[in-house]
Amino acid sequence: MRLAKARRFIYEHLDMNHLESKLREAMDAEYRLIVTDGVFSMDCDPAPLHDICDLADKYEAMVLVDDSHATGFVGPTGRGTPEAFGVIDRVDIVTSTLGKALGGALGGFTSGRKEIVEWLRQKSRPYLFSNSVPPMICGAALEVLRILREDPEPLQRLKKNQGRLRRGLQDLGFDVTTCDHAIIPVHFRKHENDAIIAQGMANDLLEDGIYCIGFSFPVVPRGQARIRLQASAAHTDEQVEKCLAAFEKVGRKHGAI
């Protein structure tokens, strides 16, 4: 937005009434673009794309979805939140990453109608003045896309793993939100020393062979420290159970459960 020197209107998180008020404020603009994450990464809450697209139609706006936490594993065939919400034909621009579920470790992309892509090739400074993505990254991403087209098993395995991990943590007594997503935040918002518990547990879990990160203020709001897990289709049943056993052991040590 800074590079485009466009006027900026920020609406409250998932608040469609507030978004509509901002669209009204922007009615004098030649172009209006609603920008949203597809899935917000800290709580795995999805954007209400049906409502956003309806507002875009009402106020003649375009829609841009940053789908970095959905590309490759959200939706029936992994095409992200627009597929999950059935609005692929109503989203004008999708930006996402090659560095997460597509396995490339770096790089990203912008997709949209031919006219938008051609315009960005001429006007987008980050594109013009950046190095190309390495060929091996492109090759890896193309192979993942091929797998997604031809083999539904990895998506099914991921759904099974994330469901087992989430339910298991809830059964142990951890504060885990209900969400159909591979990101699984384990909250400590009910504890006065939430940040200390999150960091201490993450350190002890690493000692037990479980790699996870503790987040606390200022990365998240004060009092909402958490450990963020990410399930993978590559996890075996034994690894998921090992993770749950480690969380039970470490959680009891730190008074989290």
Side-chain angles (χ1 to χ4, degrees):
M1 283 185 284
R2 290 191 184 101
L3 286 168
K5 299 180 175 62
R7 279 193 296 160
R8 180 176 60 174
F9 302 84
I10 298 176
Y11 61 96
E12 296 293 332
H13 182 59
L14 304 183
D15 187 333
M16 295 299 98
N17 291 327
H18 198 220
L19 170 58
E20 184 167 14
S21 72
K22 296 301 178 182
L23 286 165
R24 289 196 200 99
E25 287 184 47
M27 284 307 292
D28 61 328
E30 185 175 3
Y31 301 107
R32 285 166 294 284
L33 175 66
I34 303 171
V35 179
T36 182
D37 280 29
V39 175
F40 293 88
S41 62
M42 281 298 164
D43 287 305
C44 72
D45 43 347
L49 292 188
H50 279 305
D51 296 335
I52 288 173
C53 289
D54 287 346
L55 286 173
D57 292 343
K58 182 177 179 179
Y59 291 94
E60 298 183 330
M62 294 180 288
V63 177
L64 184 156
V65 176
D66 181 341
D67 229 18
S68 295
H69 294 93
T71 297
F73 63 97
V74 169
T77 63
R79 284 172 167 81
T81 48
E83 181 187 43
F85 281 88
V87 294
I88 288 179
D89 58 341
R90 302 176 68 191
V91 172
D92 299 280
I93 305 168
V94 173
T95 61
S96 194
T97 178
L98 303 176
K100 292 186 172 68
L102 298 190
L106 61 87
F109 62 87
T110 302
S111 64
R113 292 193 299 274
K114 178 181 178 181
E115 294 82 358
I116 293 173
V117 172
E118 287 301 319
W119 183 76
L120 287 173
R121 288 187 190 278
Q122 303 301 322
K123 297 288 287 185
S124 173
R125 292 175 67 84
Y127 173 82
L128 290 170
F129 299 113
S130 293
N131 291 327
S132 297
V133 177
M136 67 284 288
I137 301 298
C138 299
L142 288 170
E143 178 64 10
V144 175
L145 293 174
R146 182 195 66 77
I147 292 169
L148 285 169
R149 285 195 302 271
E150 298 177 4
D151 184 6
E153 201 269 337
L155 282 178
Q156 294 167 359
R157 193 162 65 246
L158 174 61
K159 190 174 185 67
K160 173 189 172 186
N161 285 347
Q162 71 196 41
R164 172 63 187 128
L165 192 53
R166 192 181 302 274
R167 287 191 306 273
L169 290 165
Q170 290 171 335
D171 290 344
L172 288 171
F174 285 101
D175 181 5
V176 179
T177 53
T178 301
C179 182
D180 185 17
H181 196 275
I183 294 174
I184 304 171
V186 182
H187 292 273
F188 304 103
R189 52 197 166 194
K190 298 175 183 176
H191 300 270
E192 186 176 349
N193 55 341
D194 60 307
I196 295 172
I197 291 177
Q199 297 300 333
M201 279 193 58
N203 291 336
D204 286 351
L205 286 163
L206 185 59
E207 291 293 320
D208 277 5
I210 308 300
Y211 179 65
C212 55
I213 301 296
F215 292 97
S216 56
F217 179 82
V219 180
V220 295
R222 201 181 298 275
Q224 295 190 31
R226 69 200 66 181
I227 287 173
R228 194 177 73 153
L229 300 176
Q230 292 182 161
S232 168
H235 288 144
T236 64
D237 292 344
E238 292 76 18
Q239 289 170 333
V240 173
E241 297 305 321
K242 177 182 177 180
C243 179
L244 291 171
F247 260 85
E248 181 176 17
K249 170 189 167 184
V250 174
R252 295 194 185 284
K253 173 185 173 182
H254 288 268
I257 53 173

